[in-house]
Amino acid sequence: MKRLSHCVFGLGLLFFFFGCSDSPTVSEECGEDSQNFAECDTERVKQQEVRVNENKARTLELLDNSVSYLYELSLIRGHLWVGHQLSKKGYQEHAIMHAKHPEDEIYSALIEVFSGRGVEGFALELRQFFEAVESNNKEQIDSRYQELVDSVHQSQTNITISTEELFRLINRLVRQAAAEYAVGIIDGRVDNVHEYQDALGFTEIALRWTRAHLRNNSLAESELLSTNLLKQKLEKILVMWPDLVPSAEVPFDSSMLFGLSADIEIMILSL
């Protein structure tokens, strides 16, 4: 299967940051006749340099830190999983939102990381899955989703994580899910259904990571016990999502997820 060139994406990313921003131009923001034009222009350049340096630092972190890298891939997997589930249930507009989100807000930041790690990425599969969801092509949605999942897995096949690293990865996903749920559900009401769905997707992927780790035959007995306890806690907390698109009040709040995160922190200390 032919894949899009990293170079093309890299140039596109540079264009995104510097050539097609909706931010005001120098003359619009500072005013060509402004006495402080030079100072204003200098400040804008400094802000651009800060963003560039932040992006470089982030890329280095994702190259050096496997947990951070797998966390970003897990966010993508969470969006895609919930998008696929919504599509299967007939919630096309919701599904489109989640199928599109990874490409818009996460994938572009990983292009240089994929290159540095010697993996191809999955831009083509991501686009094909979104197109299948957008066109509501039921014959292709499932197959495109599976192709995409397989490609995501290929981007992480060379990484083996310890039990402690697994717990740190799960904790980051649970904390993110808690933050999303806090926005999605307020006083039992659905205030932002997409954030509520995001939280489910991230929790589901955390559970899948945990179940996969339990299949590792080299784990010590203490690691098996801790990981199995974590799996049980994650399975128990799924009750917080009674429906993909709830029509009634949801009798839960984010404190359960924040509490689980605190439990995981304590469990990490014993590993």
Side-chain angles (χ1 to χ4, degrees), residues 75-80 96-109 122 126 148:
L75 294 181
I76 291 177
R77 289 175 60 191
H79 281 293
L80 298 175
I96 289 173
M97 175 75 70
H98 292 285
K100 182 65 173 172
H101 185 93
E103 184 180 37
D104 284 346
E105 299 190 25
I106 304 175
Y107 189 89
S108 61
F122 41 90
L126 194 60
L148 177 52

